[in-house]
Amino acid sequence: MTTRSAPTTPGPAQSGPAPGGPARSGPAWFGVVPAEAVPDLRLAGLAVAAWLTALVCLHRTAPAAVLLAALATGLAALLTAHLLGRLGRPTRLARRYGWIVVAVLIGVVCGASATAARLHVRDAAPLRALVDDRARVTVDLVLRDDPRPVRGAPGRPATLLVSADLVELTAADGRRVAVGVRLLVLATDPAWRSLLPGQRLSAQGRLTAPRGGDLTAAVLTTSVPPVPHGPPPWLQRAAGTLRAGLQRACEPLPDEPGGLLPGLVVGDTSRLPATVEEDFRTTGMTHLNAVSGSNVAIVVGAVLLLVRWSRAGPRAGALLCGLALVGFVILVRPSPSVVRAATMGAIGLLALATGRPRVALPALGAAVLVLVLVDPDLAGDPGFALSVLATGGLLLLAPGWRDALRRRGVPAGLAEALAVPAAAQLACGPVVAGISGTVSLVAVPANLLVVPAIAPATVLGVLAAVVSPLWPAGAEFAAWLASWPAWWLVTVAGVGARLPLGTVPWPGGVPGALLLAGATVGLLLAIRRPMLRRLLAVGVVAVLLGALPVRILAVGWPPRGWVLVGCDVGQGDALVLPVADGRAVVVDAGPEPSAVDGCLRRLGVREVSLLLVSHFHVDHVGGVGGVFRGRRVVEVRTPGVAEPSAGRDLVNAAVSGQQRRPGAGGTEVPRPAPVGWSYRAGGVELVVLGPPYPLRGTRSDPNNNSLVLRATVAGVRILLAGDAETEEQRALLDRGPPDAVRAEVLKVAHHGSAYQDPEFLRAVRPSVAVVQVGVDNDYGHPSPSILSHLARDGVRVLRTDTDGDVAVVTGRHGLAVVTRGADRRRR
């Protein structure tokens, strides 16, 4: 017998949701968090509004920010009066959502006011006048973060980016400014590299205007060493000692895991190979190379597990976790980015420790609000956005996904391991897409595969750093243990980066981020209903079957029957001729190592039978280290004119490095390739046509002494003209037989510059022309007149700036071309 209670009339406590609060029953919110777990959204709305307002105001002036704050204040006052019944009785909809709107307006007021105050100081007239005059000044600074090297052209002085607070500035004419603003230093003297955050110093240089969009008041360019004023703070010195100990412990390890481990533990990527960095970027794992909230959560979580295992009380646990948090912040250096990461990690740990996302999400909102008001510059920091979004995904998405997996029989630990990285990746996806202009299809699987390795590598790496000052041998042993999970990370990133179509193009910038954010929200809404889930699945399959075969199923990379690939290496040359499966001839290496290495890996080249250097300019040899990276180079040939010497030294250093590498196989000492020298391997035949004699006194002697090569691959004649300009092209026509330069495929000389002899182009009579050139380069390459000349002759022109990697293929129907798509980051 069942007893039924009579329905009751709702009392005040049952009359509905609190103003601005969620309903306490009903379907899951976004299909991921039960409705009873949904927190009050007023604080979250306030924090997000303050964040977005600060971001907008950073691109405006202080008066505009003040006007926005005043407007939002008025609207908030009117709406509050209406909700309190002073301006008429509010509607039910207003009662339910009005306080959320008020909170958003208050967030606008806070964000605009805080940013306006900082913009007023940044744009102070005395400093602005000195910036406009590009004045030479002496400045007193306090460093905010570690100096960061900017990846530039090899053979040139490295540039260091140094973020600092300006204490005082004195111009050469005696003008003095004492303001607390931010300054960005571009330094070339290596003495800047060893400086620590918090250190006070003086420097001399020239002021220039910043790019805008942040709180940087000026940029100081300097080529002289700084003058320190006393030692850095003891916290920074302690951090430097521990970080240096970790680097020493990693020195005996192989380059890839040994370079990754300091980045994984303390964000130090100074030894990280460029190829690993590119693999991590391609597979959506680049967040592992920076200190983030996840690092904090791992370290403090390990302490929490020990506390629970020892059955210590909650007070002892809180004390030990707090000490671990402070110690980790000291280890990785208490810079603003690290403090931000510690805050986010502590909030995530709060959610995991309490199991109550309703407690952690308001804490996240409060943390975002406080951090943005204290430092509005964070509003435009991609690292800040990624930290907040990853933490939000951990709080809002991961619990529901974890519980859903457990209901379907997935073990608890595995469900947690699957849900957490998937939620973080989905939450961070829009920001990553906006920054990179791509969407990674391998990011979620790659991050899932590396989950088991992240915590052991991080904890062991921290242990190595902590014991390094007292027990160096123990630190090396801990680092060796950590290198195994680090090796797994490198392996997953490398395999994921080699998969075809691992990334797909996506609109960049704010529009692309908003587009993917909208698609993500739509996806979360769609998975709530079975019918929409089925329609979504059908749509995804249709896209895969309709669009991807063009790039994967029909073509693939490298395409079948390829005889030449021009690598997209930016403003430089790198060409590949196939010798056999996994073997190739490489002509030039582009301006930097990671680009040519990536191209060779995409082609599956494991051994370079011959590396030919057309000439020693940095845009042809700067990436030579990438050719040697992870593969054997059998023979190297160079031009007879060894100019400039910096490029020659780069080639010699790369050869010497391989000769010292255990098990890499010896490379012969580079030797010149004179006119008439020939080479044959597999299906490749090469002969050197020029220069016919040393050319001196030309517009560019290195260019006009470039090796000009005629290659024959599978019966296709290919002319590789290096950077030969008008003088060398005329010399070739004068000294050689008329048909010596005849070829079906032409690598257009000097990136398609205007310095071409029309008679030379007519003598070649190519069907296909390849122009290796960088996006938006400063040289105006390729020349419109040269492109028009080739087009009039019916030549099919391929450009690496618009087509990416380009391949010439041959088959039953003759020559054809295949393009892989441009990487817009190449310059």
Side-chain angles (χ1 to χ4, degrees):
M1 183 175 182
T2 304
T3 302
R4 298 181 180 272
S5 59
T8 59
T9 302
Q14 301 169 302
S15 60
R24 296 302 180 191
S25 61
W29 189 67
F30 278 101
V32 290
V33 176
E36 59 271 13
V38 179
D40 193 315
L41 296 179
R42 286 171 291 185
L43 184 55
L46 191 153
V48 172
W51 182 5
L52 296 180
T53 302
L55 177 61
V56 171
C57 292
L58 285 173
H59 295 270
R60 299 294 183 266
T61 60
V66 171
L67 180 63
L68 179 60
L71 179 62
T73 300
L75 291 175
L78 288 174
L79 183 56
T80 301
H82 175 62
L83 292 174
L84 294 176
R86 306 288 176 83
L87 298 177
R89 185 177 179 181
T91 64
R92 182 179 178 182
L93 184 65
R95 288 197 306 270
R96 182 164 188 173
Y97 297 107
W99 293 112
I100 295 179
V101 177
V102 170
V104 168
L105 290 172
I106 293 174
V108 172
V109 174
C110 294
S113 301
T115 309
R118 302 296 291 272
L119 291 176
H120 178 72
V121 176
R122 183 197 70 178
D123 299 332
L127 179 60
R128 182 60 54 191
L130 291 172
V131 171
D132 292 340
D133 293 342
R134 294 178 58 86
R136 292 198 64 85
V137 295
T138 300
V139 295
D140 286 340
L141 306 172
V142 177
L143 265 61
R144 292 175 48 84
D145 214 334
D146 290 296
R148 294 183 292 112
V150 179
R151 196 181 300 278
R156 300 179 184 177
T159 300
L160 297 170
L161 289 180
V162 187
S163 178
D165 288 326
L166 176 61
V167 177
E168 190 176 51
L169 178 151
T170 304
D173 59 4
R175 285 179 288 177
R176 177 170 294 185
V177 178
V179 289
V181 296
R182 291 185 185 168
L183 193 72
L184 182 66
V185 181
L186 300 179
T188 56
D189 193 282
W192 289 83
R193 189 181 297 270
S194 60
L195 298 177
L196 297 177
Q199 192 160 9
R200 183 163 181 166
L201 53 90
S202 298
Q204 295 179 343
R206 185 179 295 279
L207 291 179
T208 58
R211 65 179 182 180
D214 56 24
L215 294 180
T216 302
V219 177
L220 179 76
T221 58
T222 178
S223 58
V224 298
V227 180
H229 298 313
W234 72 268
L235 280 177
Q236 301 291 356
R237 295 200 303 273
T241 300
L242 295 176
R243 290 161 68 97
L246 178 60
Q247 284 283 11
R248 288 192 299 272
C250 292
E251 285 178 357
L253 302 176
D255 290 344
E256 294 183 338
L260 173 63
L261 193 57
L264 187 67
V265 176
V266 296
D268 183 357
T269 59
S270 58
R271 290 183 52 214
L272 184 67
T275 177
V276 177
E277 186 177 0
E278 184 173 348
D279 288 347
F280 272 58
R281 187 188 310 117
T282 302
T283 52
M285 294 165 54
T286 188
H287 59 92
L288 299 176
N289 293 333
V291 177
S292 64
S294 62
N295 299 73
V296 178
I298 287 170
V299 173
V300 183
V303 175
L304 183 62
L305 287 176
L306 291 175
V307 169
R308 289 182 175 178
W309 175 76
S310 63
R311 298 185 179 181
R315 292 185 178 178
L319 177 61
L320 291 175
C321 288
L323 291 175
L325 180 61
V326 172
F328 185 72
V329 169
I330 292 175
L331 171 63
V332 297
R333 292 187 178 162
S335 62
S337 60
V338 172
V339 173
R340 174 205 74 209
T343 303
M344 297 302 150
I347 292 170
L349 190 65
L350 175 65
L352 292 175
T354 63
R356 299 173 62 190
R358 293 187 67 244
V359 175
L361 194 61
L364 174 62
V368 170
L369 179 63
V370 171
L371 289 172
V372 168
L373 295 185
V374 171
D375 185 5
D377 225 7
L378 288 175
D381 183 4
F384 178 71
L386 292 173
S387 290
V388 173
L389 291 173
T391 307
L394 173 69
L395 301 178
L396 290 177
L397 303 178
W401 291 359
R402 175 199 60 202
D403 295 342
L405 290 172
R406 293 182 65 181
R407 286 194 299 269
R408 288 164 174 78
V410 178
L414 180 59
E416 189 88 38
L418 293 173
V420 169
Q425 191 65 41
L426 187 70
C428 295
V431 174
V432 175
I435 296 172
S436 64
T438 60
V439 173
S440 175
L441 301 183
V442 300
V444 172
N447 279 274
L448 291 175
L449 287 172
V450 301
V451 163
I454 296 174
T458 303
V459 173
L460 289 169
V462 170
L463 180 62
V466 170
V467 304
S468 61
L470 304 175
W471 189 19
E476 290 187 5
F477 179 69
W480 176 80
L481 291 176
S483 70
W484 291 100
W487 168 84
W488 174 246
L489 296 175
V490 171
T491 301
V492 171
V495 172
R498 290 180 177 87
L499 293 177
L501 206 68
T503 59
V504 293
W506 191 266
V510 175
L514 294 177
L515 178 61
L516 187 57
T520 302
V521 172
L523 174 66
L524 293 174
L525 290 172
I527 62 175
R528 293 179 56 188
R529 302 182 182 276
M531 180 59 70
L532 290 179
R533 282 201 299 267
R534 296 188 185 98
L535 290 176
L536 180 66
V538 171
V540 170
V541 172
V543 170
L544 291 174
L545 294 180
L548 300 190
V550 176
R551 295 184 63 184
I552 296 181
L553 303 178
V555 177
W557 196 262
R560 186 185 300 274
W562 66 284
V563 296
L564 172 71
V565 165
C567 298
D568 177 14
V569 294
Q571 184 67 13
D573 275 13
L575 300 119
V576 189
L577 306 168
V579 172
D581 185 27
R583 297 169 55 209
V585 170
V586 177
V587 181
D588 289 333
E592 55 97 14
S594 62
V596 66
D597 177 53
C599 179
L600 294 175
R601 284 190 293 142
R602 290 190 292 271
L603 294 172
V605 175
R606 298 181 299 276
E607 178 179 296
V608 176
S609 303
L610 172 67
L611 171 61
L612 272 161
V613 176
S614 67
H615 65 297
F616 289 113
H617 274 158
V618 72
D619 57 337
H620 292 250
V621 299
V624 67
V627 178
F628 285 81
R629 186 174 292 149
R631 57 185 65 87
R632 178 172 179 249
V633 179
V634 179
E635 185 177 356
V636 179
R637 290 282 179 163
T638 61
V641 176
E643 298 174 1
S645 59
R648 178 199 60 200
D649 294 342
L650 281 172
V651 175
N652 291 337
V655 172
S656 299
Q658 173 148 312
Q659 290 173 340
R660 293 192 302 268
R661 191 182 309 141
T667 300
E668 297 181 12
V669 175
R671 290 179 292 169
V675 173
W677 178 83
S678 61
Y679 175 87
R680 184 169 187 169
V684 176
E685 296 181 16
L686 283 169
V687 62
V688 176
L689 303 180
Y693 52 88
L695 294 164
R696 294 294 184 184
T698 66
R699 200 193 72 88
S700 171
D701 286 353
N703 284 349
N704 281 301
N705 285 278
S706 291
L707 294 181
V708 176
L709 310 165
R710 187 182 67 218
T712 304
V713 184
V716 178
R717 285 173 43 128
I718 305 168
L719 189 70
L720 307 176
D723 274 4
E725 297 181 351
T726 306
E727 293 91 337
E728 185 175 1
Q729 293 176 10
R730 289 174 180 167
L732 284 168
L733 296 179
D734 292 342
R735 289 294 185 96
D739 61 346
V741 296
R742 175 76 180 92
E744 289 87 5
V745 180
L746 168 66
K747 200 292 294 186
V748 180
H750 200 195
H751 320 293
S753 77
Y755 300 104
Q756 314 275 343
D757 187 346
E759 291 299 325
F760 178 79
L761 295 177
R762 281 191 283 270
V764 179
R765 289 187 295 161
S767 301
V768 177
V770 175
V771 182
Q772 295 211 273
V773 63
V775 178
D776 298 332
N777 64 84
D778 297 330
Y779 307 98
H781 296 161
S783 167
S785 62
I786 297 302
L787 296 179
S788 298
H789 186 285
L790 293 170
R792 286 195 302 269
D793 291 343
V795 180
R796 172 66 187 275
V797 178
L798 302 175
R799 297 171 47 174
T800 55
D801 61 336
T802 57
D803 300 319
D805 293 347
V806 298
V808 180
V809 301
T810 184
R812 291 180 300 173
H813 304 292
L815 286 180
V817 296
V818 179
T819 64
R820 190 175 176 272
D823 182 350
R824 305 301 296 181
R825 293 170 298 189
R826 303 286 183 213
R827 296 283 173 178

